[in-house]
Amino acid sequence: LLKVLSRIDSILRSTRAPPLIFRPSKGPVQNYIKENGQGHGFEHLPLTIEMWADQLMALKDLHRSLRKLSLELLPWNTADQQDNRDSIRVEDLQLIADAILEELENKEKSSQTASLTTLSAIVSHFQKLFDVNSLSGVYPRMNEIYIKLGEMTNAMRNLHELLELDSSAPPTVVVDAVGKLCDIINKNVTEQVQQLLGTQDVHSIINKLEEHECFFPPFQALIQDLLCLLEISNVDDILPAVQNLK
């Protein structure tokens, strides 16, 4: 027994042992051992062996949990399906973890690379949205859309500046502002027409326009006849020509 204990003690003291495994006794017990010359370093073995036993049990639990995760992520992987083995090695856990990491990396790479089917669906959707009948027309239509988008962006930027709107204002706000401006201009034009025709009544304006429509065609015909008769081409020359005839 002493030989076995010595062997275990040498393992615990070796450089291969995990850190903080060897814990020499402290306090009165250690002093008593030193005084009587009976210190062999065995007094810490029960606690260490108990800790190792707990870690081995936890290793089995960890192996079981990793296997469940592996079955979720790698259902086609049927290797190492026995869960009741007596000895579980760290290498077994490492193999499962490496397989899971490799699968996750492959999924990430495949998600970043679009498949041919996905690319074909994107091109087909573009053709439907922008009425492109052939694949050769996709690039020209893309260029056309890019140019139109640039023109529209510049136009919206200029409208924002002219209307003194914030650059983040949506197109609906710009349209409303332009509509209000048009209403103001139309109102001013109406007022100017009313002042020009000397009336504030819409029906009176219509009557005056009808009177002008009846008057101007005969007047225009008379002017044309005078131009031909006097052999001149400018309306301003009519009066001097008539005065010369007198």
Side-chain angles (χ1 to χ4, degrees), residues 191-204:
E191 292 177 353
Q192 291 175 4
V193 171
Q194 290 174 351
Q195 293 175 2
L196 178 64
L197 298 178
T199 179
Q200 301 295 327
D201 187 6
V202 176
H203 294 289
S204 299

Side-chain angles (χ1 to χ4, degrees), residues 35-36 43 45 76-77 83 100 111 114 118 151 169 202-203 215 221 224 227:
E35 292 175 358
N36 292 275
E43 63 277 0
L45 291 182
W76 57 87
N77 188 4
D83 199 19
I100 294 174
S111 63
T118 303
E151 293 176 353
V202 176
H203 294 289
F215 170 76
Q224 291 295 331
L227 291 175

Side-chain angles (χ1 to χ4, degrees), residues 82-137:
Q82 293 188 359
D83 199 19
N84 55 356
R85 294 188 302 170
D86 294 334
S87 61
I88 301 297
R89 300 176 302 173
V90 176
E91 289 83 352
D92 299 331
L93 306 181
Q94 188 66 45
L95 286 175
I96 298 175
D98 290 342
I100 294 174
L101 289 175
E102 183 179 0
E103 178 62 20
L104 293 177
E105 291 176 357
N106 292 335
K107 285 185 176 180
E108 183 178 359
K109 291 180 181 179
S110 62
S111 63
Q112 294 177 354
T113 304
S115 64
L116 182 61
T117 304
T118 303
L119 295 176
S120 177
I122 293 174
V123 174
S124 178
H125 186 62
F126 179 88
Q127 289 181 269
K128 290 179 180 179
L129 287 177
F130 300 102
D131 294 330
V132 183
N133 298 324
S134 62
L135 290 176
S136 60

